[in-house]
Amino acid sequence: MADGSDLIHAARRRLLERVVAETRETGDLTGCYVLSAGVLAALDGVPRHCFVSAEQLDVAYVDQPLPIGRGQTISQPFIVALMTELLQPNPQAVVLEIGTGSGYQSAVLAQLARRVYSVERIPELAESATRRLHELGYRNIEIRNADGWYGWEENAPFDGILVTAAAVDVPPALVHQLKPGGRLVIPVGEPSRCQMLRVLQKDARNIVEARAVLPVAFVPLVHDPA
Ligand code: SAH
């Protein structure tokens, strides 16, 4: 008879198949038709059911965003996979995430990169994600409760920066904190509408090129100008 872990394993397999199919279907827009083996393994390695509430357990492995409290959401797995693929972190990479939320995307990044820094503006979410990731055994993730608009200057520069909330404009500090050769993956646009997922690439001479990837819908990056 199948026990709980078999069911979870099967649900995660089906989710991966869905994510692979969706990547192929959106390839004409994103330029990314296949996910690398590393990204698939990272997605397979993170127990998404540990990042959602008890009421959401049944749908933890459905390819959709889910509420995590305080009006925030854990992103859709396909979007997590695509953004991770676009960031292309290597095992030596030091990456920054803005918008820790549940900590799920941080965990996926931590499977691939050497070190993950993540910034969350809601104290309760920063605390619960820190506790959850520690309990799951992640030791290469550090979370800070702050306004991610300003990045994390003390640990810069970063090989890659991934923003999981929609910014009206690209925060200048994030571009500044990117290494030459580094990549910034960020949804840009007005809240309450579709935003455009963008990839900014900084070359060796610090020249930044941007490309539009896919229309997306994220919760807003909240920033109160000083
Ligand atoms: N990556 C998350 C998704 C989180 S949703 C996950 O895998 O679960 C976006 C998160 O960005 C929310 O938790 C929200 O509180 C946070 N956020 C919004 N504005 C922010 C800001 N200025 N700085 C840091 N975090 C912010």
Side-chain angles (χ1 to χ4, degrees):
M1 218 180 91
D3 68 7
S5 73
D6 284 340
L7 292 176
I8 289 169
H9 195 72
R12 209 180 299 164
R13 282 272 128 202
R14 277 197 301 278
L15 172 64
L16 282 186
E17 282 165 18
R18 181 70 216 119
V19 168
V20 165
E22 202 161 351
T23 304
R24 195 173 46 238
E25 286 156 15
T26 51
D28 285 348
L29 279 175
T30 63
C32 167
Y33 292 87
V34 265
L35 297 167
S36 57
V39 169
L40 282 173
L43 231 60
D44 200 20
V46 179
R48 194 171 191 254
H49 64 279
C50 298
F51 293 80
V52 302
S53 65
E55 302 85 66
Q56 310 283 347
L57 272 184
D58 285 357
V59 283
Y61 291 100
V62 176
D63 189 27
Q64 63 185 34
L66 295 170
I68 54 169
R70 302 293 310 260
Q72 307 305 320
T73 53
I74 175 173
S75 303
Q76 179 189 356
F78 160 64
I79 294 292
V80 172
L82 177 66
M83 290 176 83
T84 309
E85 187 71 44
L86 293 167
L87 198 72
Q88 289 174 18
N90 66 43
Q92 294 316 313
V94 177
V95 301
L96 174 68
E97 176 194 22
I98 306 300
T100 316
S102 67
Y104 178 69
Q105 172 77 73
S106 324
V108 170
L109 290 170
Q111 304 264 119
L112 295 160
R114 178 163 65 84
R115 186 135 196 92
V116 177
Y117 294 98
S118 187
V119 184
E120 170 57 54
R121 69 175 278 279
I122 299 178
E124 296 90 318
L125 291 179
E127 277 162 33
S128 56
T130 302
R131 203 174 330 111
R132 176 178 297 126
L133 290 165
H134 190 83
E135 280 167 13
L136 288 170
Y138 289 94
R139 296 292 178 268
N140 59 340
I141 305 172
E142 195 177 331
I143 293 168
R144 174 193 201 181
N145 172 223
D147 182 352
W149 179 267
Y150 302 104
W152 195 333
E153 182 68 47
E154 295 84 343
N155 296 308
F158 302 100
D159 297 288
I161 302 177
L162 197 152
V163 183
T164 65
V168 177
D169 295 305
V170 176
L174 299 187
V175 179
H176 186 71
Q177 291 174 21
L178 206 54
K179 269 188 201 167
R183 230 173 262 123
L184 168 61
V185 180
I186 179 169
V188 183
E190 296 292 332
S192 77
R193 300 196 192 165
C194 252
Q195 304 101 31
M196 184 53 79
L197 184 62
R198 296 188 179 277
V199 179
L200 281 74
Q201 168 104 38
K202 192 187 254 192
D203 74 11
R205 293 167 302 149
N206 281 329
I207 295 169
V208 177
E209 270 193 27
R211 84 174 167 98
V213 177
L214 190 72
V216 287
F218 274 85
V219 296
L221 184 80
V222 179
H223 171 55
D224 308 311

